[in-house]
Amino acid sequence: MQTAISKVSTARLRRAIELAVGPLLLFGIWWLAARGGWVNKDLLPSPVDTLRDTAAAIWSGSMTKDFWHTMVRVAYSIAIAIVAGVPVGIVLGAKAAVYRSVEFIVDFFRSTPATAMFPLFLLLFGLGDLAKIAVAAFAAWLVIVFNVAYGVMNARQTRILAARSMGASSLRIFRDVIFFETLPQTFIGLRTAVSLALVVIIVAEMFIGATDGMGHRIIDAQISYSLTDMYGSILIAGAMGYGLNLILLFIERSIVHWSGK
Protein backbone atom coordinates (compact mmCIF):
# COMPACT_ATOMS: atom_id res chain seq x y z
CA MET A 1 0.00 0.00 0.00
CA GLN A 2 2.75 2.41 0.97
CA THR A 3 4.64 1.53 -2.21
CA ALA A 4 1.59 2.43 -4.31
CA ILE A 5 1.15 5.72 -2.43
CA SER A 6 4.85 6.47 -2.87
CA LYS A 7 4.62 5.86 -6.62
CA VAL A 8 1.62 8.19 -6.89
CA SER A 9 3.43 10.88 -4.87
CA THR A 10 6.55 10.50 -7.02
CA ALA A 11 4.50 10.75 -10.21
CA ARG A 12 2.75 13.89 -8.95
CA LEU A 13 6.07 15.46 -7.93
CA ARG A 14 7.56 14.65 -11.34
CA ARG A 15 4.50 16.16 -13.04
CA ALA A 16 4.76 19.32 -10.90
CA ILE A 17 8.44 19.68 -11.79
CA GLU A 18 7.68 19.21 -15.50
CA LEU A 19 5.00 21.91 -15.33
CA ALA A 20 7.33 24.29 -13.47
CA VAL A 21 10.15 24.01 -16.02
CA GLY A 22 8.47 26.22 -18.63
CA PRO A 23 7.66 29.21 -16.36
CA LEU A 24 11.06 28.99 -14.64
CA LEU A 25 12.83 28.84 -18.00
CA LEU A 26 10.93 31.91 -19.20
CA PHE A 27 11.70 33.77 -15.97
CA GLY A 28 15.39 32.79 -16.17
CA ILE A 29 15.86 33.88 -19.78
CA TRP A 30 14.00 37.13 -19.10
CA TRP A 31 16.10 37.83 -15.99
CA LEU A 32 19.36 37.12 -17.83
CA ALA A 33 18.31 39.30 -20.77
CA ALA A 34 17.47 42.21 -18.47
CA ARG A 35 20.42 41.71 -16.12
CA GLY A 36 23.00 41.05 -18.81
CA GLY A 37 21.98 43.92 -21.04
CA TRP A 38 21.01 41.68 -23.96
CA VAL A 39 18.17 44.12 -24.57
CA ASN A 40 18.10 47.84 -23.89
CA LYS A 41 17.18 48.23 -20.21
CA ASP A 42 14.88 51.10 -21.13
CA LEU A 43 12.81 48.64 -23.17
CA LEU A 44 12.91 45.52 -20.97
CA PRO A 45 12.28 45.83 -17.23
CA SER A 46 13.36 43.00 -14.96
CA PRO A 47 10.85 40.20 -14.38
CA VAL A 48 10.97 40.86 -10.64
CA ASP A 49 9.84 44.48 -11.10
CA THR A 50 7.21 43.41 -13.63
CA LEU A 51 5.72 40.71 -11.38
CA ARG A 52 5.78 43.06 -8.38
CA ASP A 53 3.93 45.83 -10.22
CA THR A 54 1.51 43.33 -11.77
CA ALA A 55 0.68 41.89 -8.35
CA ALA A 56 0.08 45.43 -7.08
CA ALA A 57 -2.23 46.17 -10.03
CA ILE A 58 -4.18 42.98 -9.38
CA TRP A 59 -4.40 43.74 -5.67
CA SER A 60 -5.67 47.27 -6.35
CA GLY A 61 -8.35 45.88 -8.67
CA SER A 62 -7.47 47.95 -11.74
CA MET A 63 -6.14 44.99 -13.72
CA THR A 64 -8.89 42.70 -12.44
CA LYS A 65 -11.53 44.98 -13.95
CA ASP A 66 -9.83 44.95 -17.35
CA PHE A 67 -9.41 41.18 -17.10
CA TRP A 68 -13.12 40.61 -16.52
CA HIS A 69 -14.19 43.02 -19.25
CA THR A 70 -12.11 41.04 -21.74
CA MET A 71 -13.33 37.73 -20.34
CA VAL A 72 -16.98 38.77 -20.66
CA ARG A 73 -16.49 39.79 -24.29
CA VAL A 74 -14.80 36.47 -25.08
CA ALA A 75 -17.58 34.56 -23.30
CA TYR A 76 -20.29 36.35 -25.28
CA SER A 77 -18.52 35.76 -28.60
CA ILE A 78 -17.96 32.06 -27.89
CA ALA A 79 -21.54 31.56 -26.71
CA ILE A 80 -22.84 33.11 -29.93
CA ALA A 81 -20.42 31.05 -32.03
CA ILE A 82 -21.46 27.78 -30.36
CA VAL A 83 -25.20 28.41 -30.57
CA ALA A 84 -24.98 29.46 -34.23
CA GLY A 85 -22.12 27.20 -35.31
CA VAL A 86 -22.91 23.74 -33.98
CA PRO A 87 -26.30 23.34 -35.74
CA VAL A 88 -24.88 24.69 -39.02
CA GLY A 89 -21.90 22.36 -38.77
CA ILE A 90 -24.18 19.37 -38.18
CA VAL A 91 -26.37 20.24 -41.17
CA LEU A 92 -23.35 20.72 -43.45
CA GLY A 93 -21.64 17.56 -42.25
CA ALA A 94 -24.71 15.38 -42.52
CA LYS A 95 -24.87 15.84 -46.29
CA ALA A 96 -21.55 15.87 -48.16
CA ALA A 97 -23.19 17.47 -51.20
CA VAL A 98 -24.42 20.37 -49.08
CA TYR A 99 -20.96 20.90 -47.58
CA ARG A 100 -19.26 20.81 -50.97
CA SER A 101 -21.67 23.45 -52.27
CA VAL A 102 -20.63 25.95 -49.58
CA GLU A 103 -17.09 24.71 -48.95
CA PHE A 104 -15.54 27.61 -50.84
CA ILE A 105 -17.42 30.21 -48.77
CA VAL A 106 -16.49 28.56 -45.45
CA ASP A 107 -12.83 28.09 -46.36
CA PHE A 108 -12.55 31.56 -47.90
CA PHE A 109 -13.74 33.41 -44.81
CA ARG A 110 -11.93 30.97 -42.48
CA SER A 111 -8.69 31.82 -44.31
CA THR A 112 -9.35 35.57 -44.24
CA PRO A 113 -7.63 37.29 -41.26
CA ALA A 114 -10.30 38.28 -38.77
CA THR A 115 -8.63 41.67 -38.29
CA ALA A 116 -9.24 42.42 -41.98
CA MET A 117 -12.96 42.27 -41.19
CA PHE A 118 -12.78 45.08 -38.60
CA PRO A 119 -13.80 47.90 -41.01
CA LEU A 120 -16.86 45.93 -42.17
CA PHE A 121 -18.03 45.17 -38.64
CA LEU A 122 -17.40 48.75 -37.57
CA LEU A 123 -19.69 49.95 -40.36
CA LEU A 124 -22.35 47.42 -39.36
CA PHE A 125 -22.19 47.68 -35.56
CA GLY A 126 -20.41 50.94 -34.69
CA LEU A 127 -17.58 51.49 -32.21
CA GLY A 128 -19.14 49.82 -29.16
CA ASP A 129 -18.73 46.39 -27.64
CA LEU A 130 -21.14 44.91 -30.18
CA ALA A 131 -18.61 45.27 -33.03
CA LYS A 132 -15.83 43.64 -30.98
CA ILE A 133 -18.03 40.73 -29.94
CA ALA A 134 -19.49 40.32 -33.43
CA VAL A 135 -16.16 40.05 -35.25
CA ALA A 136 -14.78 37.63 -32.64
CA ALA A 137 -17.98 35.57 -32.76
CA PHE A 138 -17.81 35.44 -36.55
CA ALA A 139 -14.20 34.22 -36.53
CA ALA A 140 -14.96 31.61 -33.85
CA TRP A 141 -18.17 30.56 -35.65
CA LEU A 142 -16.28 29.65 -38.82
CA VAL A 143 -13.84 27.47 -36.88
CA ILE A 144 -16.65 25.69 -35.03
CA VAL A 145 -18.69 25.12 -38.19
CA PHE A 146 -15.71 23.61 -40.00
CA ASN A 147 -14.74 21.29 -37.14
CA VAL A 148 -18.27 20.13 -36.37
CA ALA A 149 -18.94 19.43 -40.06
CA TYR A 150 -15.64 17.57 -40.34
CA GLY A 151 -16.49 15.51 -37.26
CA VAL A 152 -19.92 14.55 -38.60
CA MET A 153 -18.52 13.59 -42.00
CA ASN A 154 -15.78 11.45 -40.46
CA ALA A 155 -17.85 9.62 -37.88
CA ARG A 156 -16.92 5.93 -37.78
CA GLN A 157 -19.03 4.20 -40.38
CA THR A 158 -18.80 0.81 -38.66
CA ARG A 159 -20.73 2.07 -35.65
CA ILE A 160 -23.29 3.81 -37.84
CA LEU A 161 -23.79 0.65 -39.92
CA ALA A 162 -24.07 -1.46 -36.76
CA ALA A 163 -26.79 0.82 -35.39
CA ARG A 164 -28.59 0.83 -38.73
CA SER A 165 -28.46 -2.97 -38.95
CA MET A 166 -30.20 -3.14 -35.58
CA GLY A 167 -33.07 -1.08 -36.95
CA ALA A 168 -32.23 2.30 -35.41
CA SER A 169 -33.86 5.30 -37.03
CA SER A 170 -31.84 8.14 -38.55
CA LEU A 171 -32.69 10.37 -35.59
CA ARG A 172 -31.64 7.66 -33.12
CA ILE A 173 -28.38 7.06 -35.02
CA PHE A 174 -27.58 10.75 -34.94
CA ARG A 175 -28.48 11.11 -31.25
CA ASP A 176 -26.72 7.99 -29.96
CA VAL A 177 -23.86 7.51 -32.43
CA ILE A 178 -22.96 10.47 -34.64
CA PHE A 179 -23.36 13.12 -31.93
CA PHE A 180 -20.90 11.38 -29.59
CA GLU A 181 -18.55 10.52 -32.44
CA THR A 182 -18.25 14.21 -33.34
CA LEU A 183 -17.54 15.46 -29.81
CA PRO A 184 -13.71 15.02 -29.94
CA GLN A 185 -13.47 17.07 -33.15
CA THR A 186 -16.00 19.57 -31.78
CA PHE A 187 -13.82 20.19 -28.73
CA ILE A 188 -10.77 20.65 -30.95
CA GLY A 189 -12.69 23.32 -32.83
CA LEU A 190 -13.92 24.86 -29.59
CA ARG A 191 -10.41 25.21 -28.15
CA THR A 192 -9.19 26.76 -31.39
CA ALA A 193 -12.22 29.07 -31.50
CA VAL A 194 -11.65 30.28 -27.92
CA SER A 195 -7.99 31.10 -28.65
CA LEU A 196 -8.96 32.92 -31.85
CA ALA A 197 -11.78 34.85 -30.15
CA LEU A 198 -9.39 35.98 -27.40
CA VAL A 199 -6.85 37.21 -29.96
CA VAL A 200 -9.52 39.11 -31.90
CA ILE A 201 -10.98 40.67 -28.74
CA ILE A 202 -7.54 41.78 -27.50
CA VAL A 203 -6.67 43.36 -30.85
CA ALA A 204 -10.12 44.97 -31.08
CA GLU A 205 -9.69 46.47 -27.60
CA MET A 206 -6.39 47.95 -28.74
CA PHE A 207 -7.66 49.72 -31.83
CA ILE A 208 -11.48 49.98 -31.81
CA GLY A 209 -12.40 52.68 -29.34
CA ALA A 210 -12.21 50.62 -26.15
CA THR A 211 -11.95 52.23 -22.73
CA ASP A 212 -11.26 49.02 -20.82
CA GLY A 213 -10.08 45.45 -21.30
CA MET A 214 -6.62 43.89 -21.46
CA GLY A 215 -6.00 45.04 -25.04
CA HIS A 216 -6.74 48.64 -24.11
CA ARG A 217 -4.54 48.31 -21.04
CA ILE A 218 -1.61 46.96 -23.08
CA ILE A 219 -1.73 49.70 -25.72
CA ASP A 220 -2.34 52.41 -23.11
CA ALA A 221 0.68 51.24 -21.10
CA GLN A 222 2.80 51.22 -24.28
CA ILE A 223 1.76 54.77 -25.18
CA SER A 224 2.42 56.04 -21.64
CA TYR A 225 5.71 54.09 -21.50
CA SER A 226 4.64 52.15 -18.42
CA LEU A 227 6.65 49.09 -19.40
CA THR A 228 6.12 46.93 -16.30
CA ASP A 229 2.38 47.41 -16.72
CA MET A 230 2.61 46.60 -20.43
CA TYR A 231 4.61 43.40 -19.93
CA GLY A 232 2.48 42.41 -16.96
CA SER A 233 -0.71 42.89 -18.97
CA ILE A 234 0.73 40.75 -21.77
CA LEU A 235 1.52 38.03 -19.23
CA ILE A 236 -1.99 38.15 -17.80
CA ALA A 237 -3.53 38.02 -21.29
CA GLY A 238 -1.38 34.97 -22.05
CA ALA A 239 -2.38 33.38 -18.74
CA MET A 240 -6.02 33.98 -19.65
CA GLY A 241 -5.68 32.07 -22.90
CA TYR A 242 -3.69 29.29 -21.25
CA GLY A 243 -6.25 28.97 -18.46
CA LEU A 244 -9.20 28.82 -20.85
CA ASN A 245 -7.46 26.08 -22.82
CA LEU A 246 -6.82 24.08 -19.63
CA ILE A 247 -10.46 24.40 -18.59
CA LEU A 248 -11.65 23.14 -21.97
CA LEU A 249 -9.14 20.26 -21.87
CA PHE A 250 -10.44 19.27 -18.44
CA ILE A 251 -14.04 19.38 -19.64
CA GLU A 252 -13.14 17.40 -22.76
CA ARG A 253 -11.37 14.68 -20.78
CA SER A 254 -14.31 14.46 -18.39
CA ILE A 255 -16.96 14.22 -21.11
CA VAL A 256 -15.18 12.63 -24.08
CA HIS A 257 -13.44 9.92 -22.07
CA TRP A 258 -13.90 7.39 -24.88
CA SER A 259 -11.93 9.41 -27.46
CA GLY A 260 -9.59 7.17 -29.47
CA LYS A 261 -11.18 3.95 -28.24
Side-chain angles (χ1 to χ4, degrees), residues 38-170:
W38 300 355
V39 180
N40 189 329
K41 291 183 178 181
D42 293 331
L43 301 177
L44 184 68
S46 76
V48 176
D49 293 340
T50 300
L51 293 176
R52 184 191 63 235
D53 291 351
T54 301
I58 294 172
W59 181 258
S60 68
S62 63
M63 187 173 288
T64 306
K65 291 178 181 177
D66 287 319
F67 179 94
W68 284 113
H69 279 114
T70 297
M71 186 67 77
V72 167
R73 291 178 182 123
V74 172
Y76 275 126
S77 62
I78 288 299
I80 294 169
I82 291 173
V83 171
V86 172
V88 173
I90 290 172
V91 171
L92 294 180
K95 296 292 183 180
V98 176
Y99 181 80
R100 284 195 298 269
S101 65
V102 297
E103 183 177 11
F104 169 77
I105 298 174
V106 174
D107 284 347
F108 177 82
F109 283 106
R110 191 169 62 88
S111 303
T112 302
T115 50
M117 305 293 290
F118 281 171
L120 172 61
F121 281 85
L122 284 174
L123 288 175
L124 294 174
F125 300 104
L127 289 173
D129 276 357
L130 188 56
K132 302 177 185 65
I133 294 170
V135 70
F138 178 72
W141 176 81
L142 289 168
V143 173
I144 290 174
V145 166
F146 175 80
N147 280 274
V148 172
Y150 182 83
V152 172
M153 287 188 292
N154 290 275
R156 295 185 186 180
Q157 294 301 314
T158 52
R159 295 183 180 179
I160 296 173
L161 291 174
R164 188 170 290 133
S165 67
M166 289 185 286
S169 65
S170 297

Side-chain angles (χ1 to χ4, degrees), residues 30 42-64 66-67 206 213-238:
W30 186 353
D42 293 331
L43 301 177
L44 184 68
S46 76
V48 176
D49 293 340
T50 300
L51 293 176
R52 184 191 63 235
D53 291 351
T54 301
I58 294 172
W59 181 258
S60 68
S62 63
M63 187 173 288
T64 306
D66 287 319
F67 179 94
M206 287 181 174
M214 295 307 299
H216 173 264
R217 187 180 187 92
I218 291 169
I219 200 69
D220 191 54
Q222 185 263 329
I223 292 172
S224 61
Y225 204 69
S226 179
L227 295 185
T228 56
D229 191 23
M230 184 188 77
Y231 283 102
S233 298
I234 293 172
L235 289 176
I236 295 299

Side-chain angles (χ1 to χ4, degrees), residues 25-39 44 47:
L25 184 62
L26 174 61
F27 182 91
I29 293 173
W30 186 353
W31 184 84
L32 287 173
R35 187 77 173 178
W38 300 355
V39 180
L44 184 68

